[in-house]
């Protein structure tokens, strides 16, 4: 099934979280999906899970919970949705709730703050991407006015690594794009194949790497049963994906995420980098 039946929207009441409410509403309407709003109250230091028993901590969760539920009732115009409040560790509880309740899409913004914000995703988003079994949608620039321009989705870009194991990601992306009425394009970065004009040596090796990449992309498309336009570009993964997304005005970037296995999984291991640099929302399978 290409669409989604149960969307989990973790809410922390930040401006970035507020900014993606229209996207959650649009996805829910597009796929006729159930929506659950989840607010996880962080366990403070001095309580089980973050204990420093040397001093007491005053924290009345029972009194706080009904107040949060009231705020959730007024949060976003999402219609008839389920609202859940939990006490715990946000990333862990988000992933656990998704597994326990048949969630097939988590939607949340990234949260990187401070001077080195471009280097950060935010600990909660990073952990959810690592731990969640279901697809995760995230917007790296949720606070920017450009986010609204990516819906309705008319252009889907799929960033792929080499190898037939990427075929399920391509198939799922094509099915989803068909349901959205969007065009699809593939992008594959070839690190190490850059060759500066006038540079002596290495040109032959660069040509070899690009030729091998083209052959691998052909095999991938054969495995996926597709014949999509593909951009195979020499350069760093995050930079190449961003450039192609901008060039083709992508409204949604789709990637496969997971752990790195031996020589495979280069793109998967770069998923955080891709999300940080993406000019549009990212959906990772």
């Amino acid at each position: 099934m290409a669409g989604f039946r149960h969307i989990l929207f973790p809410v922390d009441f930040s401006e970035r979280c507020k900014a993606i409410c229209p996207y959650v509403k649009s996805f829910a309407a597009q796929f006729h999906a159930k929506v659950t709003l989840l607010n996880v109250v962080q366990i403070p230091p001095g309580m089980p899970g973050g204990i420093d028993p040397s001093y007491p901590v005053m924290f009345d969760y029972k009194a706080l919970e009904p107040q949060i539920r009231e705020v959730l009732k007024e949060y976003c115009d999402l219609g008839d949705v389920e609202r859940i409040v939990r006490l715990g560790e946000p990333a862990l509880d988000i992933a656990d709730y998704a597994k326990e309740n048949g969630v097939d899409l988590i939607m949340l913004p990234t949260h990187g703050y401070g001077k080195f914000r471009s280097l950060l995703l935010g600990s909660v988003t990073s952990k959810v991407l690592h731990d969640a079994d279901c697809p995760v949608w995230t917007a790296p620039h949720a606070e920017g006015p450009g986010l609204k321009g990516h819906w309705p989705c008319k252009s889907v870009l799929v960033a792929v690594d080499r190898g037939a194991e990427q075929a399920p990601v391509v198939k799922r992306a094509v099915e989803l794009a068909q349901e959205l009425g969007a065009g699809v394009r593939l992008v594959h970065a070839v690190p190490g194949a850059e060759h500066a004009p006038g540079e002596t040596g290495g040109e032959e090796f660069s040509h070899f790497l690009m030729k091998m990449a083209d052959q691998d992309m052909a095999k991938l498309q054969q495995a996926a049963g597709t014949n999509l336009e593909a951009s195979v570009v020499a350069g760093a993964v995050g930079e190449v994906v961003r450039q192609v997304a901008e060039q083709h005005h992508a409204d949604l970037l789709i990637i496969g995420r997971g752990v790195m296995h031996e020589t495979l999984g280069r793109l998967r291991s770069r998923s955080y980098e891709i999300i940080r640099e993406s000019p549009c929302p990212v959906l990772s399978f």
Side-chain angles (χ1 to χ4, degrees), residues 16 48 51 55 80 82 84 90 125 135 163 167-168 175 215 217 224 229:
R16 291 187 181 188
I51 293 181
Y55 61 89
D80 185 18
E82 186 175 17
I84 305 295
T125 304
E175 292 173 355
Q215 292 176 355
M217 289 294 287
E229 292 290 331

Side-chain angles (χ1 to χ4, degrees), residues 260-279:
M260 188 170 179
H261 295 291
E262 298 178 354
T263 59
L264 301 177
R266 180 175 58 252
L267 183 142
R268 296 180 185 182
S269 67
R270 301 285 180 85
S271 59
Y272 293 177
E273 173 189 345
I274 293 171
I275 292 171
R276 283 196 305 265
E277 297 193 27
S278 176

Side-chain angles (χ1 to χ4, degrees), residues 188-220:
H188 173 63
V190 189
E194 307 97 320
H195 183 73
E199 183 182 34
T200 58
E203 184 173 0
E204 184 176 340
F205 182 63
S206 296
H207 287 324
F208 170 76
L209 290 177
M210 295 301 292
K211 182 179 179 180
M212 292 298 296
D214 286 332
Q215 292 176 355
D216 286 341
M217 289 294 287
K219 292 177 182 177
L220 169 59

Side-chain angles (χ1 to χ4, degrees), residues 203-267:
E203 184 173 0
E204 184 176 340
F205 182 63
S206 296
H207 287 324
F208 170 76
L209 290 177
M210 295 301 292
K211 182 179 179 180
M212 292 298 296
D214 286 332
Q215 292 176 355
D216 286 341
M217 289 294 287
K219 292 177 182 177
L220 169 59
Q221 294 227 52
Q222 183 178 16
T226 59
N227 186 28
L228 303 170
E229 292 290 331
S231 298
V232 181
V233 183
V237 175
E239 183 178 349
V240 166
V241 173
R242 175 182 56 78
Q243 290 176 350
V244 174
E246 291 175 342
Q247 179 183 354
H248 294 278
H249 307 289
D251 293 315
L252 179 66
L253 174 62
I254 292 180
I255 63 174
R257 71 179 193 278
V259 297
M260 188 170 179
H261 295 291
E262 298 178 354
T263 59
L264 301 177
R266 180 175 58 252
L267 183 142

Side-chain angles (χ1 to χ4, degrees), residues 163-175 220 223-224 268 285:
E165 74 276 2
Q166 293 277 291
V169 175
V170 176
K171 290 180 180 179
R172 183 79 187 276
V174 169
E175 292 173 355
L220 169 59
R268 296 180 185 182
F285 291 127

Side-chain angles (χ1 to χ4, degrees), residues 1-4 30-31 153 156 158 167-186 224-226 228 252 254 283 285:
M1 180 180 295
F4 305 103
Q30 174 73 39
F31 301 112
C153 179
V156 172
V158 189
V169 175
V170 176
K171 290 180 180 179
R172 183 79 187 276
V174 169
E175 292 173 355
L176 185 62
Q178 289 175 343
E179 190 156 348
L180 292 171
V184 188
R185 186 181 191 90
L186 304 182
T226 59
L228 303 170
L252 179 66
I254 292 180
L283 176 60
F285 291 127

Side-chain angles (χ1 to χ4, degrees), residues 44-47 52-59:
M47 295 189 67
D52 181 357
S54 61
Y55 61 89
V57 174
M58 303 302 295
F59 183 75

